Amino acid sequence: MTVSATSSVSTAATTTSSSSTSSSSSLTSSDFLSLLVSELQNQDPLNATSTTDFINQLTSYANFSQQQSINTNLSSLASSFSSLVTLNSVNYIGHTVEAKTDTSTLSNGSATFGYSLSSSAANVSISVQDSSGNTVWTGTGTGNAGSNSFTWDGKDSNGNQLSDGGKYTISVTATDSAGNSVLNYTTVTGTVTGIDTSTSTPSLTVNGVSVSAADIIGVTS
């Protein structure tokens, strides 16, 4: 009779466990406790679970529960941080900023770019490509250590004025007298007209181009 009752309880526990597993793809704390209680109810009296094994299982449950709590707190913290970043990004709207990027929109017949050099350059060559990757202009630039600026007049190499609204990318090659590259990065300067929060990292619209908020290196006005 005892064996029959144990088998019945075992069957019920198995059914409950299967039902719980089928209703959820992850193990909850209630599932863990149900499995632990079922193990105690249905263990073989002649070969009971050792005290060491039982303590190890309890320790595993404690670690599991703690990990769930940590994950929940981290998710909450990430959400709060994302909201803070978005709020800070809104403050940029209407301000003129300098950002690490290489693309700008031709506006009022010109586009202003910048580039940073780790040391003085003996040779600086600049090229401008359109949105299709075609080079429309090539020339030279200043080679001062630190920040340098370059304003393109919107004309191609043949002197033809290109239409406003197109997106153009600058490419800078800067080398010292030994032929070593001294280019750090390129920049654009423009007014922030909007933000995009559809991704995990908000982006700002600068001169009609999307720029990560993390790439903003200065606010000029």
Side-chain angles (χ1 to χ4, degrees):
M1 292 297 292
T2 302
V3 173
S4 176
T6 301
S7 299
S8 175
V9 172
S10 177
T11 301
T14 301
T15 302
T16 301
S17 177
S18 298
S19 175
S20 176
T21 302
S22 63
S23 63
S24 176
S25 59
S26 61
L27 184 67
T28 66
S29 57
S30 297
D31 295 331
F32 192 99
L33 289 175
S34 295
L35 290 172
L36 198 62
V37 170
S38 296
E39 179 184 3
L40 293 175
Q41 290 177 333
N42 300 293
Q43 63 182 332
D44 185 353
L46 301 179
N47 185 27
T49 303
S50 70
T51 303
T52 301
D53 289 342
F54 185 65
I55 291 177
N56 287 339
Q57 291 173 2
L58 287 177
T59 301
S60 297
Y61 167 69
N63 291 336
F64 168 76
S65 180
Q66 185 178 33
Q67 186 63 49
Q68 280 191 317
S69 177
I70 291 175
N71 290 341
T72 300
N73 291 336
L74 285 177
S75 296
S76 177
L77 181 62
S79 178
S80 298
F81 179 74
S82 178
S83 298
L84 179 61
V85 171
T86 300
L87 181 61
N88 287 337
S89 297
V90 171
N91 293 329
Y92 283 117
I93 295 179
H95 291 281
T96 300
V97 300
E98 183 180 13
K100 290 182 180 180
T101 186
D102 57 5
T103 303
S104 185
T105 301
L106 187 62
S107 178
N108 296 322
S110 66
T112 299
F113 300 90
Y115 52 94
S116 173
L117 305 180
S118 58
S119 61
S120 297
N123 298 287
V124 177
S125 60
I126 300 174
S127 63
V128 177
Q129 292 84 35
D130 61 19
S131 57
S132 298
N134 301 311
T135 298
V136 297
W137 183 90
T138 58
T140 59
T142 56
N144 302 318
S147 298
N148 294 262
S149 63
F150 164 71
T151 298
W152 175 50
D153 60 7
K155 296 179 180 179
D156 63 17
S157 297
N158 296 320
N160 300 313
Q161 182 67 49
L162 301 178
S163 301
D164 285 350
K167 290 181 173 57
Y168 294 88
T169 301
I170 187 176
S171 178
V172 178
T173 300
T175 56
D176 58 18
S177 57
N180 300 311
S181 176
V182 293
L183 177 67
N184 286 329
Y185 51 80
T186 58
T187 65
V188 299
T189 299
T191 302
V192 178
T193 57
I195 63 171
D196 180 7
T197 60
S198 60
T199 60
S200 57
T201 303
S203 59
L204 311 177
T205 302
V206 181
N207 290 348
V209 177
S210 181
V211 176
S212 172
D215 289 330
I216 300 297
I217 60 175
V219 179
T220 58
S221 65

